[in-house]
Amino acid sequence: MKLFGTSKVNEKGNLSIGGVDTTELVKEFKTPLYVMDQEFIETTIDKMKKAFKSSRFNTRIAYAGKAFLSTGMIKLVESKGLDLDVVSGGELYTAYKAGFPMNKVHLHGNNKLVNEIEMAVDFGIDTIVVDNEDEIDKIERICREKGKKQAVLVRIDPGIEAHTHHYIKTSGLTSKFGISLFQDNLFDIIKRLNDSEWIEFKGFHTHIGSQIFQSAFFIFALDEIFKYLDKLKKELGIVVHTVNMGGGFGVYYKEGDDPKPIEEVLSEIITYTEAMEIKYQIGFKELCIEPGRSIVGNAGTTLYEVGGIKETVGGKTYVFIDGGMSDNIRTALYQAEYEAGVVNKINDTDVKDVTLAGKLCESGDIIIEKGKLPKSTEVGDIVAVTTTGAYCYTMSSNYNRMMRPAVVFVKDGKAKVAVKRETLDDLIRNDEIFEL
Ligand code: LLP
């Protein structure tokens, strides 16, 4: 099992994260528990900021909140000077309540609701990333009513087929996101935005998918975009200032994964964009990215307690834990693969093949289909699953009336609650016993 950031085996032989012994974390906060390595998140952001800089144009990094979001996380993002990418009124409201500067917020979504656009315009957010033509009607109408002009980027689809799971691919000629670069009326759409009294057209956005290992796909996308920007300037005289390349930088989950260090990927993107800027001379001014997983993915570890071990007649060994697809649906949804260890036996190499299964009423409730745990694993042991910082808490559910686990941030030997554990009463809070 690969350990990240401040995770290590301490002098007692236990896994510790942020200087806190995970066996102590479990005593205090119970299981299942999401543990976030705060220092690791901070140093990752610092590395990204250092690499994603150019003397030729401005750069901005927006954290993609969909990976992991809470008011505390937003404060951390603010303290690091990043922008924030939100994708719903709920994420926008969370940012607003956390006091995040609204002029650093970017709103996404392929079907933004009228009330979400209204909220964004009222809050004075930086950018709305326009997905489709119907949305332009809505933004214009809302801005006219409010007498406020809104800056937008257009989400374009450069038709790059990145090698990732098809559910998390967001580009290609049949994608539900954005407007294809090959669509006949794209010029008309851009002209309309550029001429609009209520819209400030700033440029293009693209996001070609998530968990992408080959940086060449980002370069292909940049290439397509700059060719188009050149055409736009030559044929329509429209100068695009901003390009946002989205997120999608892949991270290590399991043996065999070999992502390039994020700083190398970002430097490649900067170098290539500088070359494009010099080649085309189109008045380009700003390059943005929106990483989510690469900021928080490896920083998260989920702790579970083993409640049972079952050997099936078919020869499969199940290790049952006290969570499951309600706190991590990624295995069921994308056949994601993870690594795990027992927190006081991390270096035990005498292992066996196991399936780490949850407690929910569903055969697909598996966290690790083909895993390895020590042969000595027993009921009561604490299992740590790594790389659960992205898209686990945010995709969690109350299926089977499971209570969502707490999230704690650990740093310098201290643990702080970022999200409280749900209670039984939380589960029935919105229920009504109606008249029969
Ligand atoms: N920007 C846009 C417009 C996006 O759609 C996404 C992710 C990101 C940025 C951040 O991508 P990241 O850097 O985190 O790869 N639930 C899936 C991932 C869905 C990603 C959706 N969009 C999973 O668990 O793998």
Side-chain angles (χ1 to χ4, degrees):
M1 175 166 105
K2 187 171 157 78
L3 299 181
F4 303 92
T6 65
S7 293
K8 61 172 191 188
V9 177
N10 67 13
E11 59 294 342
K12 289 186 184 150
N14 296 336
L15 175 66
S16 91
I17 311 173
V20 191
D21 191 315
T22 50
T23 62
E24 296 299 325
L25 280 175
V26 165
K27 273 188 216 147
E28 187 173 352
F29 300 104
K30 314 280 182 285
T31 52
L33 183 68
Y34 296 111
V35 184
M36 298 293 271
D37 182 343
Q38 185 179 333
E39 186 182 310
F40 187 39
I41 297 175
E42 289 166 343
T43 52
T44 305
I45 294 174
D46 291 342
K47 266 192 215 160
M48 287 181 166
K49 281 167 71 176
K50 203 165 158 217
F52 197 66
K53 258 196 191 138
S54 170
S55 55
R56 303 198 60 87
F57 43 79
N58 184 35
T59 53
R60 283 163 102 172
I61 303 178
Y63 169 64
K66 58 183 84 65
F68 172 82
L69 204 69
S70 74
T71 47
M73 180 66 198
I74 288 172
K75 281 295 185 204
L76 192 159
V77 170
E78 183 184 355
S79 76
K80 284 281 155 197
L82 300 191
D83 287 21
L84 182 69
D85 141 12
V86 298
V87 76
S88 69
E91 289 188 355
L92 180 55
Y93 182 74
T94 311
Y96 178 73
K97 291 303 268 189
F100 192 81
M102 288 292 124
N103 61 358
K104 294 177 93 175
V105 173
H106 311 257
L107 176 66
H108 283 283
N110 65 299
N111 183 18
K112 298 174 194 73
L113 309 178
V114 167
N115 75 305
E116 291 175 325
I117 298 172
E118 282 175 345
M119 207 167 156
V121 174
D122 285 341
F123 286 167
I125 71 161
D126 184 80
T127 322
I128 295 183
V129 181
V130 170
D131 182 88
N132 55 65
E133 290 184 75
D134 292 324
E135 196 177 299
I136 302 175
D137 299 340
K138 290 182 205 160
I139 297 174
E140 276 200 315
R141 182 170 45 74
I142 291 165
C143 287
R144 190 178 309 116
E145 276 164 20
K146 295 187 182 291
K148 273 178 143 183
K149 196 162 179 165
Q150 177 64 54
V152 307
L153 296 179
V154 179
R155 178 156 178 174
I156 52 104
D157 177 354
I160 306 293
E161 292 268 348
H163 290 166
T164 185
H165 190 283
H166 72 279
Y167 277 12
I168 49 180
K169 221 187 250 179
T170 49
S171 182
L173 296 178
T174 54
S175 169
K176 84 162 184 170
F177 295 106
I179 301 169
S180 170
L181 213 46
F182 307 101
Q183 195 166 313
D184 289 340
N185 65 343
L186 182 53
F187 258 28
D188 298 333
I189 296 171
I190 292 168
K191 253 196 276 177
R192 174 180 172 193
L193 287 169
N194 202 53
D195 295 344
S196 169
E197 198 187 335
W198 299 106
I199 287 176
E200 183 200 349
F201 171 60
K202 281 177 57 182
F204 282 173
H205 174 282
T206 193
H207 171 80
I208 55 172
S210 202
Q211 185 59 0
I212 295 170
F213 281 150
Q214 297 92 335
S215 49
F217 290 116
F218 298 107
I219 301 297
F220 295 156
L222 271 171
D223 211 45
E224 290 295 335
I225 290 171
F226 270 89
K227 264 192 247 158
Y228 201 87
L229 297 188
D230 184 46
K231 196 166 127 185
L232 255 189
K233 186 167 180 208
K234 286 192 178 127
E235 294 180 30
L236 292 183
I238 294 177
V239 174
V240 162
H241 291 159
T242 303
V243 170
N244 186 326
M245 289 299 294
F249 314 109
V251 305
Y252 179 102
Y253 277 87
K254 47 111 204 342
E255 215 180 312
D257 287 348
D258 190 19
K260 246 189 223 171
I262 187 70
E263 55 273 33
E264 277 180 36
V265 179
L266 299 189
S267 297
E268 265 180 60
I269 291 176
I270 290 285
T271 308
Y272 198 80
T273 309
E274 285 175 346
M276 293 285 101
E277 192 254 339
I278 292 167
K279 178 173 171 190
Y280 290 113
Q281 301 280 332
I282 46 174
F284 167 77
K285 292 205 173 64
E286 183 171 71
L287 183 69
C288 313
I289 47 167
E290 294 164 345
R293 190 192 316 264
S294 50
I295 291 181
V296 288
N298 292 142
T301 301
T302 312
L303 303 176
Y304 303 98
E305 183 174 331
V306 175
I309 298 173
K310 185 186 278 183
E311 308 278 349
T312 64
V313 278
K316 189 166 175 171
T317 304
Y318 283 103
V319 173
F320 294 149
I321 48 169
D322 53 356
M325 65 194 295
S326 49
D327 60 74
N328 183 355
I329 198 166
R330 298 193 66 261
T331 308
L333 208 51
Y334 317 118
Q335 298 80 50
E337 294 175 86
Y338 287 93
E339 291 182 345
V342 173
V343 299
N344 59 346
K345 301 169 188 169
I346 296 288
N347 293 330
D348 188 338
T349 50
D350 191 16
V351 292
K352 63 179 174 187
D353 293 336
V354 300
T355 295
L356 194 67
K359 69 184 293 300
L360 288 92
C361 260
E362 189 140 336
S363 301
D365 174 32
I366 302 289
I367 300 291
I368 305 180
E369 181 62 52
K370 286 192 175 119
K372 290 198 188 305
L373 283 180
K375 285 184 183 149
S376 61
T377 302
E378 58 191 357
V379 171
D381 274 351
I382 302 300
V383 169
V385 178
T386 47
T387 313
T388 58
Y391 304 109
C392 288
Y393 168 70
T394 49
M395 295 178 80
S396 64
S397 76
N398 292 124
Y399 181 46
N400 286 187
R401 292 247 148 172
M402 292 287 285
M403 289 163 276
R404 286 190 181 82
V407 184
V408 295
F409 274 56
V410 288
K411 186 182 174 183
D412 295 337
K414 288 199 199 83
K416 286 161 276 176
V417 175
V419 185
K420 281 191 257 178
R421 182 177 299 285
E422 281 182 343
T423 63
L424 289 170
D425 283 328
D426 287 332
L427 296 176
I428 55 165
R429 173 163 303 140
N430 295 322
D431 291 4
E432 300 276 6
I433 296 180
F434 53 89
E435 217 175 296
L436 297 173

